[in-house]
Amino acid sequence: LLKGAIKNSMLRHVGELGVSEAGLIFMDKLYNPNTQIGVVRVSNKYVDTLKLSLALIDKINKSDVIVKSVKTSGMINKVK
């Protein structure tokens, strides 16, 4: 559900070409359901676009949600 909301938000703002250039990848193994924190990999040129897309998500399945960026890093190992 969350993956779909993030991808749809990115599609609305940068289109299919932008999403493909951003290289949007969800790191499923790094998602913690207890804390509800996960890792999304994206090209360094699209970090701000991803943050904007996260901030503009307000509902998932008619439920109010807040999606925010907690940390940004140039290397995946640093966010583990």
Side-chain angles (χ1 to χ4, degrees), residues 22-69:
L24 186 67
I25 298 173
F26 300 97
M27 308 300 286
D28 293 330
K29 292 182 180 180
L30 299 179
Y31 177 72
N32 183 338
N34 297 326
T35 60
Q36 296 183 347
I37 294 176
V39 176
V40 179
R41 183 177 173 190
V42 70
S43 165
N44 63 338
K45 295 178 183 177
Y46 285 86
V47 171
D48 291 333
T49 304
L50 175 64
K51 287 182 179 182
L52 169 73
S53 296
L54 293 175
L56 293 175
I57 297 171
D58 57 353
K59 289 189 184 293
I60 297 178
N61 280 353
K62 299 179 183 177
S63 297
D64 292 334
V65 297
I66 297 173
V67 182
K68 59 184 177 180
S69 172

Side-chain angles (χ1 to χ4, degrees), residues 3-21:
K3 288 184 200 179
I6 293 171
K7 187 171 182 180
N8 288 337
S9 184
M10 284 279 289
L11 281 169
R12 278 194 306 271
H13 296 95
V14 295
E16 289 185 28
L17 180 62
V19 171
S20 122
E21 288 176 350

